[in-house]
Amino acid sequence: DIQMTQSPSTLSASVGDRVTITCRASQSITDLLAWYQQKSKKAPKLLIYDASTLEGGVPSRFSGSGSGTEFTLTISSLQPDDFATYYCQQYNTASTFGQGTKVEIK
Amino acid sequence: QVQLVQSGAEVKKPGASVKVSCKASNYPFTSYGISWVRQAPGQGLEWMGWMATYDGNAKYAQKFQGRVTMTTDTSTTTAYMELRSLTSDDTAVYYCARDMKFAEAYQYWGQGTLVTVSS
């Protein structure tokens, strides 16, 4: 199975900050990676797929990059609505989620 | 708009089985796969498996092989996930999710079904 490792597990930031979350795969997954946002008790929301393609309706402050084994999700200017938990997901071989990164208010 | 509506919460005893349904609407059901993802209390997302709705072919996470069965009923556009030999570790919210046309990322999700396993 492909393992996905996210870092950090928790991130404290302020509104307006630039935030970066990293996801590493245990083997190459080319660009078959998605990012999701989840707020408490709700189903996850797709933000980015194929590593860097923004899902429709998602604000442009979200961006994704990377290929192979290392990927990043960047929020260019953190907004109050962005405090949530973020997950990466590989879908190159079956599927695996990262363990999540909680973005909390500093 | 696309909707995935799941069945209600369940309480099961250890050793029992549970079958969760996911009713899909407002899109061509057999054109997209359905996956199942679970989330234990306070934990992250865990992929359980995926099913091709047009032919019933399924692939399961190794962890659940032999214990899970995913099926579909194309006449009612409903997907099902059955998990057997339940233990307390299976207490979780179970989600169905629909993939995209050209990517197996999940654009649409059900509302989740809480399965509680307790004696």
Side-chain angles (χ1 to χ4, degrees):
Chain A
D1 288 5
I2 297 176
Q3 309 303 317
M4 305 300 292
T5 303
Q6 278 182 244
S7 59
S9 298
T10 306
L11 188 159
S12 298
S14 302
V15 172
D17 284 354
R18 181 181 181 88
V19 164
T20 299
I21 298 169
T22 298
C23 183
R24 288 187 174 87
S26 59
Q27 64 189 73
S28 176
I29 57 170
T30 63
D31 63 350
L32 299 181
L33 183 108
W35 290 97
Y36 299 86
Q37 177 193 67
Q38 187 180 35
K39 297 184 178 178
S40 182
K41 310 284 191 193
K42 300 284 191 183
K45 174 187 174 183
L46 177 64
L47 300 175
I48 286 166
Y49 61 95
D50 291 348
S52 61
T53 304
L54 200 65
E55 168 67 343
V58 174
S60 59
R61 62 181 180 273
F62 291 93
S63 64
S65 65
S67 67
T69 61
E70 188 146 342
F71 302 86
T72 59
L73 171 70
T74 299
I75 309 172
S76 60
S77 177
L78 198 66
Q79 298 302 301
D81 192 47
D82 301 338
F83 292 98
T85 301
Y86 294 83
Y87 294 92
C88 62
Q89 175 215 8
Q90 69 82 15
Y91 45 93
N92 180 73
T93 304
S95 186
T96 323
F97 287 92
Q99 79 277 19
T101 296
K102 183 178 181 180
V103 177
E104 59 182 26
I105 300 173
K106 191 172 186 179
Chain B
Q1 72 278 24
V2 171
Q3 281 196 309
L4 299 173
V5 178
Q6 298 183 222
S7 48
E10 304 259 16
V11 179
K12 296 292 183 180
K13 294 200 181 301
S17 299
V18 68
K19 192 170 186 176
V20 179
S21 67
C22 172
K23 166 72 175 172
S25 59
N26 302 323
Y27 73 92
F29 182 67
T30 55
S31 295
Y32 299 85
I34 293 282
S35 295
W36 291 87
V37 175
R38 76 177 186 179
Q39 187 168 37
Q43 303 299 307
L45 303 171
E46 183 174 32
W47 185 78
M48 299 181 69
W50 167 89
M51 156 151 285
T53 51
Y54 65 91
D55 68 359
N57 183 41
K59 56 184 176 184
Y60 304 129
Q62 205 162 4
K63 174 177 180 176
F64 299 102
Q65 288 274 3
R67 205 162 68 90
V68 70
T69 302
M70 296 175 188
T71 57
T72 60
D73 181 343
T74 55
S75 68
T76 61
T77 66
T78 302
Y80 298 91
M81 186 283 300
E82 181 180 33
L83 189 62
R84 300 176 290 277
S85 303
L86 294 168
T87 72
S88 57
D89 289 343
D90 295 313
T91 293
V93 175
Y94 289 76
Y95 293 102
C96 61
R98 197 205 82 172
D99 56 29
M100 306 178 78
K101 197 69 174 173
F102 302 111
E104 288 184 28
Y106 304 138
Q107 199 174 28
Y108 297 99
W109 295 69
Q111 82 277 20
T113 296
L114 176 62
V115 175
T116 303
V117 183
S118 174
S119 54

